[in-house]
C-alpha cells in the first residue's frame, strides 16, 4: 500500500494532546514560535520568561487555545534560588511534564550579544559569565529539577536550543557573517 499525503500530515504523525511542555524563554522570537506550535498541536504550555511581553503573549495564547492550556511564570532566571523553587513547584503542581524546551538566553549589552560594540575582543569577564549562565547553566538547572519528574514518570523529552552564534558572529553593524 502506498503512503498518501494524508499519512504524513502533521496531525496524523503525532499529537501533543494531553502533554505538558515547559518552555523557557517563551516571550522571545523563538519562544513565541515554539509556544504557538506546541499549543496548536494540543500541548499544555508552562511558559517561563522575564520580559513584560510574556503576559501579553500569554493572553493571546489563552484566548486562542484556552486558559487551561497555558500557565505563565515571569522569572529572572539569573536568580538561581527562585528558578530552583519555581521548577520544584512546577514539578509538584503539573499533572505531568512531558517536554522541557531549554530556550532561554539573554541578548543585549549585559551579554554583549546583538549590540554594535559586541565582539569577542570587547567582551568582558562579566559578559562571559552571563553568557555561560544563560547558555549552559540555565539548561542544566531546569533539567536537574524537572528531569527528576520525567525520570519518575519513565518518560519525557528534553530539547536544548543552541545558538546560531556558535557558527555566525553576532555583529549587528558588520557586512560579513550576519545571521539569516
Amino acid at each position: 500500500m502506498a503512503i498518501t499525503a494524508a499519512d504524513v500530515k502533521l496531525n496524523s504523525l503525532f499529537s501533543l494532546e494531553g502533554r505538558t511542555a515547559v518552555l523557557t524563554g517563551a516571550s522571545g522570537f523563538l519562544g513565541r514560535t515554539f509556544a504557538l506550535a506546541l499549543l496548536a498541536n494540543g500541548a499544555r504550555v508552562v511558559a517561563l520568561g522575564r520580559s513584560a511581553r510574556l503576559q501579553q503573549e500569554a493572553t493571546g495564547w489563552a484566548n486562542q487555545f484556552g486558559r487551561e492550556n497555558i500557565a505563565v511564570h515571569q522569572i529572572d532566571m539569573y536568580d538561581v534560588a527562585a528558578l530552583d523553587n519555581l521548577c520544584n513547584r512546577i514539578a509538584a503542581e503539573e499533572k505531568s511534564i512531558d517536554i522541557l524546551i531549554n530556550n532561554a538566553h539573554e541578548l543585549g549589552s549585559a551579554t554583549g550579544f546583538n549590540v554594535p560594540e559586541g565582539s569577542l575582543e570587547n567582551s568582558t569577564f562579566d559578559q562571559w559569565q552571563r553568557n555561560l549562565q544563560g547558555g549552559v547553566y540555565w539548561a542544566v538547572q531546569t533539567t536537574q529539577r524537572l528531569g527528576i519528574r520525567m525520570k519518575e514518570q519513565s518518560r519525557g523529552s528534553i530539547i536544548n536550543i543552541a545558538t546560531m552564534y556558535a557558527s555566525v558572529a553576532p555583529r549587528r553593524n558588520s557586512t560579513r557573517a550576519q545571521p539569516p
Side-chain angles (χ1 to χ4, degrees):
M1 173 179 247
I3 294 176
T4 67
D7 295 326
V8 294
K9 280 184 71 173
L10 190 59
N11 61 356
S12 68
L13 293 176
F14 75 96
S15 171
L16 297 177
E17 205 64 46
R19 305 288 185 186
T20 298
V22 177
L23 171 63
T24 70
S27 60
F29 176 75
L30 290 177
R32 293 189 315 262
T33 304
F34 293 149
L36 184 61
L38 291 162
L39 289 161
N41 286 285
R44 171 177 163 73
V45 173
V46 179
L48 281 62
R50 181 173 62 180
S51 79
R53 184 184 327 161
L54 180 62
Q55 293 298 334
Q56 296 167 351
E57 294 294 333
T59 298
W61 297 328
N63 291 338
Q64 187 173 0
F65 299 102
R67 295 212 178 283
E68 70 281 359
N69 291 317
I70 186 77
V72 177
H73 300 280
Q74 202 161 358
I75 185 165
D76 180 352
M77 292 177 66
Y78 285 109
D79 185 337
V80 173
L83 183 56
D84 271 350
N85 290 336
L86 177 58
C87 288
N88 290 335
R89 195 170 93 227
I90 291 168
E93 293 174 358
E94 291 296 326
K95 180 179 71 172
S96 68
I97 298 174
D98 304 290
I99 305 161
L100 168 60
I101 301 177
N102 287 307
N103 174 61
H105 196 281
E106 182 181 16
L107 299 177
S109 60
T111 59
F113 275 94
N114 285 356
V115 293
E117 65 279 2
S119 67
L120 180 63
E121 62 271 14
N122 293 329
S123 295
T124 67
F125 178 77
D126 289 338
Q127 287 172 325
W128 277 102
Q129 289 298 100
R130 286 183 78 91
N131 272 299
L132 289 171
Q133 186 170 358
V136 178
Y137 189 67
W138 290 347
V140 169
Q141 192 176 6
T142 55
T143 299
Q144 285 176 326
R145 299 294 166 259
L146 299 174
I148 293 168
R149 177 69 186 279
M150 291 177 172
K151 281 177 77 171
E152 291 169 356
Q153 298 169 173
S154 297
R155 72 174 192 287
S157 297
I158 299 171
I159 302 164
N160 296 313
I161 304 302
T163 178
M164 68 181 170
Y165 292 133
S167 57
V168 179
R171 301 202 61 182
R172 292 176 49 182
N173 292 337
S174 176
T175 58
R176 299 177 4 206
Q178 287 294 310

